[in-house]
Amino acid sequence: MAAIVAVLLVLTPFGLYLLWRRVGPGTGEPSSGAVMALLLGVGLMLGGAVWFGLSRSFDRGEAYVPAVLGPDGTVQQGHAGAPPAARPPAGPGR
């Protein structure tokens, strides 16, 4: 199901372009309303991406602690935590 959704998301812009070329105005140039809608959509997309990135980021000095399998077999989610203590590099014979 996810593969079908991914393929549809890739093909949708091409289909919309072909539809626009088929039923659009004869000049082949988009109207000012279509250009403004496109610019508004791109601006909203970029603003949403910046907002999401800033709202999900870790604080300075925090490190990602990956998910682990608990003793009872449940998965404990990854989270932000204190950076791990520095370990000496592994060498031969260790």
Side-chain angles (χ1 to χ4, degrees):
M1 181 67 181
I4 294 171
V5 172
V7 168
L8 287 176
L9 286 174
V10 169
L11 294 179
T12 298
F14 297 106
L16 290 175
Y17 174 74
L18 291 173
L19 180 68
W20 173 69
R21 292 293 291 173
R22 178 72 58 170
V23 298
T27 62
E29 294 183 13
S31 65
S32 61
V35 172
M36 291 305 291
L38 177 67
L39 291 175
L40 179 65
V42 169
L44 287 172
M45 177 194 65
L46 292 174
V50 168
W51 172 78
F52 182 77
L54 292 175
S55 68
R56 296 290 183 164
S57 61
F58 295 149
D59 292 330
R60 188 174 296 272
E62 286 186 318
Y64 176 70
V65 179
V68 294
L69 191 60
D72 58 348
T74 60
V75 175
Q76 299 170 354
Q77 285 188 324
H79 59 279
R87 291 186 227 158
R94 290 191 181 188

